[in-house]
Amino acid sequence: MSDAEQWGRPEPGQTLKGLLALVGERFVELCAAPPGEGGTVRRVVLLDPLEPQESPGDLLVAVGVDPDSEEAVALVRRAGSAGAAGVVLPPTGAEARNKALREAAAEAGTAVLFRGWWTDWPTAIGMLHAGLSVAKEPGLTGVPLGNLGELAKAIALRVGGSVTIEDLDSNVLAYSPTGQGADPVRVWTILGGKPPEGRLADMEKAGFFRQLWKSTGVLYRKAQGATPERLIVLVRAGEVPLGSIWVAADGEPLSVATATEALQAAAHTAAAHLLNDRARRAGQDQQLLEEARALLDGRGSAELLSWRTGLPSAERCAVLSVRTAPGRAGDAVRNRLAPLVFRHCAHPGHLLAVVPSDRGALVLLGGLAKDAAQAEEHVARLARSLARDLSKQLELRVRIGIGEVQESLDRAPDSRRTADLALGGLLFGRAGHDCARVGEVAGAVALLHYVEALRDERPPVTTPVDRLVERNETALVDTLRAYLDHAREKSKAADALGVARTTFAHRLDQTVVKVSGIDLDDPDARLLAQLQLRLLGLQAGDGV
């Protein structure tokens, strides 16, 4: 069975606008769509480039397509020709590319969407399937979508008991009115926002929650002392669990058979409401995220972000630029980096916002100490602990550029600029630091600046490094690089490469020098070789 068949199972039709209202921009962000409702989505299809199967109503999930490439533009045009509802691409921050994709979508009559920065592909795909799978129960269609309070009241009338709607962590999202004879557990649950800790612990110990997560129908809990009988159902959208509905007898016994049937039906209706509620709350988080990103990009309002987040606008701030080691392993965890960073930094006394970036994550720290030296030490200490703990957790080296402390929140873009420069110096340089301010890696930052300027330049002659590259023998290039990087000390260079010193010396003198023609005693030749080797590393992604 192909991937397209596996992920492309038919689903009930849903307008694109309606699907996005359910799923929310935390998971999928809209770039462009046809006017009106945006067409009808009938299934979610994981794009198989070897076996394209676009059909009318398909929402194509293009996991492996670079959104900044011409391939992405061509895919959008092809999708429109096939009548597909849209294409979901990996996230991108390139505005120029967004414009090209929007133009292609308008010409093709289809939609372009991006996976959210804060999620991964399995979650985004699961949420899209969940949005398509929710059914509408005729008996409760009068309840406005996402109004959980009205939903709880409507379910209570159907089942003949008191209702609470809870999320997956047992937090109360909504409840129906309760009579004067309500049991103490229900009262404490409503007043405290979740069931009492002792009751949760007892249910966990008894295995009730394991039973609930595996269940496909309504569960029954008989009365115990002053606690009346209850019915509970897990609410799912497709395969995605969203929460649960609890029904308690209120003054008189439940009509169990009738109430069970009504609650099972109500769970289908509740899926759309819970999915919409989750999307709405995630959308509020997304809005805060965009406001923080806009400020760090130099186009946002410090006052607005301060009002929305509580970050003091008139107190010191600083930015950390965080990234995993370059390479495939680092790329695989980059989408998880921002939530992990937030979890580490979100402690009492830390006022912050964490923003995903194309490099990894940006941390905006606000409300820092009035004393500049004290604020700088606090930021540096946090950066060191963050790099240490994340490296251990991810089993990858994490580097952090520390931005200069600024006097007020509106200067956050200046701190972000120095943090990015410092991170670039860490990744490009040869120092062993995991964290640094820009002044601590100034040499690497300056050298990177010059090398970047030469990235697209080609010398008018063939150089010694060119000759080594033409041989297509990585060991020769690595030997020359190690020799130059270790101040021409052959023993240190050999040890760094993990080869015998005699082997290294022979390879350098008898092969590298002869093949390339380099004069290792000429300082100009050494400088040129180092510049070209750094350019090769930059192009290969070994540096920034």
Side-chain angles (χ1 to χ4, degrees), residues 392-422:
K392 183 177 181 181
Q393 183 173 356
L394 296 172
E395 297 182 343
L396 286 170
R397 191 173 185 184
V398 173
R399 306 286 187 84
I400 300 178
I402 304 173
E404 298 302 312
V405 172
Q406 302 295 329
E407 293 183 355
S408 57
L409 194 60
D410 61 354
R411 299 289 301 276
D414 295 331
S415 184
R416 186 262 175 95
R417 182 183 62 82
T418 57
D420 281 343
L421 286 173

Side-chain angles (χ1 to χ4, degrees), residues 231-255:
L231 295 174
I232 309 99
V233 67
L234 182 68
V235 179
R236 285 189 179 91
E239 299 299 320
V240 179
L242 301 172
S244 58
I245 304 174
W246 296 64
V247 178
D250 191 4
E252 59 184 48
L254 294 170
S255 177

Side-chain angles (χ1 to χ4, degrees), residues 324-334 396:
T324 53
R328 186 173 299 174
D331 291 340
V333 302
R334 194 156 298 146
L396 286 170

Side-chain angles (χ1 to χ4, degrees), residues 226-524:
T227 303
E229 60 185 341
R230 276 171 165 75
L231 295 174
I232 309 99
V233 67
L234 182 68
V235 179
R236 285 189 179 91
E239 299 299 320
V240 179
L242 301 172
S244 58
I245 304 174
W246 296 64
V247 178
D250 191 4
E252 59 184 48
L254 294 170
S255 177
V256 176
T258 303
T260 297
E261 183 179 353
L263 184 57
Q264 186 70 63
H268 294 294
T269 299
H273 290 273
L274 285 179
L275 198 60
N276 178 266
D277 179 73
R278 177 191 282 195
R280 178 181 55 79
R281 287 184 281 120
Q284 293 173 348
D285 295 341
Q286 185 72 21
Q287 186 175 357
L288 290 177
L289 195 65
E290 291 305 323
E291 289 170 0
R293 180 181 284 125
L295 176 63
L296 294 177
D297 287 345
R299 53 185 174 82
S301 165
E303 289 74 15
L304 178 60
L305 185 63
S306 174
W307 178 73
R308 292 293 303 276
T309 64
L311 287 168
S313 61
E315 296 182 20
R316 295 185 185 274
C317 71
V319 174
L320 303 178
S321 188
V322 186
R323 182 175 172 178
T324 53
R328 186 173 299 174
D331 291 340
V333 302
R334 194 156 298 146
N335 293 323
R336 296 167 44 209
L337 192 59
L340 291 174
V341 169
F342 183 83
R343 197 173 301 137
H344 177 92
C345 296
H347 295 299
H350 289 176
L351 298 173
L352 59 93
V354 179
V355 180
S357 70
D358 55 353
R359 287 184 162 196
L362 297 169
V363 184
L364 172 58
L365 298 165
L368 299 177
K370 293 181 180 180
D371 180 75
Q374 186 178 347
E376 289 172 358
E377 175 56 29
H378 170 78
V379 173
R381 188 167 57 251
L382 177 62
R384 289 192 295 268
S385 67
L386 179 60
R388 181 185 63 249
D389 292 349
L390 285 181
S391 296
K392 183 177 181 181
Q393 183 173 356
L394 296 172
E395 297 182 343
L396 286 170
R397 191 173 185 184
V398 173
R399 306 286 187 84
I400 300 178
I402 304 173
E404 298 302 312
V405 172
Q406 302 295 329
E407 293 183 355
S408 57
L409 194 60
D410 61 354
R411 299 289 301 276
D414 295 331
S415 184
R416 186 262 175 95
R417 182 183 62 82
T418 57
D420 281 343
L421 286 173
L423 178 62
L426 283 169
L427 294 169
F428 183 73
R430 295 292 186 261
H433 308 304
D434 290 329
C435 307
R437 291 190 172 89
V438 67
E440 296 169 330
V441 287
V445 171
L447 182 58
L448 175 60
H449 172 79
Y450 288 120
V451 171
E452 285 276 14
L454 296 172
R455 184 193 286 266
D456 298 323
E457 296 294 328
R458 293 288 302 168
V461 295
T462 301
T463 68
V465 170
D466 291 335
R467 297 188 188 100
L468 289 181
V469 172
E470 288 171 1
R471 283 288 293 266
N472 199 27
E473 295 183 36
T474 305
L476 300 184
V477 174
D478 290 344
T479 297
L480 179 58
R481 179 184 285 116
Y483 175 72
L484 296 174
D485 283 349
H486 290 83
R488 305 176 68 190
E489 294 191 32
K490 295 180 182 178
S491 59
K492 289 185 177 180
D495 294 345
L497 288 181
V499 301
R501 295 180 179 184
T502 52
T503 301
F504 180 90
H506 183 272
R507 185 183 296 163
L508 179 68
D509 298 333
Q510 300 300 317
T511 307
V512 172
V513 171
K514 289 184 178 180
V515 168
S516 69
I518 189 171
D519 180 0
L520 293 175
D521 293 324
D522 182 351
D524 290 342

